[in-house]
Amino acid sequence: MTEFLDPVPPQYREGKTNFMGMEIAVDPRVLIPRPETELLVEVVFKLCREKAWDTPLILDICTGSGAVSLGLTKVMADCEMIGSDISEDALDVAKTNVENLGQRDRVRLVRSDMFEVFRDEEKKLFDAIVSNPPYVSEDDYPDLDEWVKAEPMIALHGGVEGMEYLNILVSEGKEHLKDGGFIALEVGYDQSEKVKTLFEKFGFEDIKGFRDFNGYDRVIVGWKHG
């Protein structure tokens, strides 16, 4: 049986949370989905619809509970998802959610350390790459609420400046995108300009931030134009 930390987030006690009107199973093996991540799903949905893609294939890196992949299958009846995570424990939770919500045919789960399993076989395959990666910095982590610290550190801590995984997503992501595709990233409250600069450095275009309910640029998008 899972051992709870103290204090325990109420979502862990109940074993579930609400995300975009869906009941998502959660426990201490995964991050609890936030309202900011609903914005990430909404942005990706809007951009895919603007492109009018036929059955877009989307990679969800750091899928955790699978909430982002499942949110996208809820709002887009025609998308196909690959959800990847380095954590087998997280993927076990994601599998439960995929099965509970009847999306086994549309969400494929893969264990991967970032782009590791995609480097050889699936280059330039994806219409979009989406991620809510670990992005809390070393300085900010000690000041997090104790309930947040009850969540897995591997899903929160993003290196000294919180940019470790964001750097990988932008620097390596382009080669896995089809021409005309995009990357959409959830970022920390103070990281938007750094991430926009990173997108520029690696040749992305039409870079844009989308604000959350607190007024922070919480989702950053960059496009690959061929």
Side-chain angles (χ1 to χ4, degrees):
M1 186 172 179
T2 302
E3 181 180 355
F4 289 117
L5 299 175
D6 187 27
V8 180
Q11 296 92 335
Y12 286 167
R13 290 191 182 279
E14 296 174 6
K16 62 185 179 180
T17 192
N18 182 284
F19 183 79
M20 297 186 64
M22 300 178 293
E23 184 177 292
I24 300 291
V26 292
D27 63 35
R29 296 175 291 174
V30 293
L31 195 73
I32 300 165
R34 309 293 207 271
E36 292 89 343
T37 307
E38 294 190 5
L39 173 65
L40 179 64
V41 173
E42 291 165 7
V43 167
V44 173
F45 165 65
K46 178 182 176 183
L47 296 177
C48 288
R49 278 294 164 264
E50 288 176 356
K51 296 294 285 188
W53 283 325
D54 181 25
T55 316
L57 179 60
I58 302 172
L59 174 61
D60 170 23
I61 290 191
C62 305
T63 193
S65 66
V68 169
S69 288
L70 291 163
L72 286 168
T73 60
K74 178 179 180 178
V75 296
M76 281 194 289
D78 55 352
C79 73
E80 295 181 0
M81 301 296 308
I82 297 178
S84 72
D85 207 289
I86 193 173
S87 168
E88 289 281 10
D89 284 341
L91 290 170
D92 283 344
V93 178
K95 181 180 179 182
T96 295
N97 285 315
V98 168
E99 292 179 348
N100 286 349
L101 292 165
Q103 296 294 352
R104 289 179 62 184
D105 292 339
R106 297 180 59 204
V107 181
R108 178 160 67 96
L109 298 172
V110 177
R111 186 178 185 275
S112 180
D113 183 357
M114 304 303 286
F115 291 104
E116 182 180 30
V117 304
F118 307 104
R119 285 187 179 129
D120 295 326
E121 299 180 3
E122 304 189 34
K123 290 187 177 182
K124 299 183 180 178
L125 178 65
F126 300 105
D127 295 287
I129 296 170
V130 58
S131 185
N132 174 21
Y135 55 69
V136 177
S137 71
E138 200 166 275
D139 286 341
D140 285 347
Y141 186 82
D143 297 327
L144 294 176
D145 186 276
E146 290 303 311
W147 278 7
V148 178
K149 289 181 184 176
E151 298 177 87
M153 187 174 181
I154 191 175
L156 291 165
H157 192 272
V160 176
E161 296 183 355
M163 291 289 294
E164 180 177 345
Y165 301 102
L166 292 165
N167 280 323
I168 294 170
L169 286 159
V170 177
S171 64
E172 298 185 16
K174 196 172 186 180
E175 66 181 287
H176 300 282
L177 281 177
K178 295 177 183 177
D179 292 343
F182 68 89
I183 296 179
L185 304 175
E186 181 176 329
V187 305
Y189 69 96
D190 59 350
Q191 294 172 328
S192 62
E193 292 307 313
K194 289 181 181 179
V195 175
K196 288 176 184 177
T197 299
L198 193 61
F199 270 123
E200 290 175 0
K201 177 182 176 181
F202 286 94
F204 286 84
E205 301 177 30
D206 298 329
I207 301 158
K208 185 177 179 182
F210 296 82
R211 293 186 178 182
D212 65 12
F213 51 84
N214 288 315
Y216 296 117
D217 268 354
R218 183 65 66 173
V219 175
I220 311 297
V221 173
W223 290 84
K224 174 186 177 179
H225 294 310

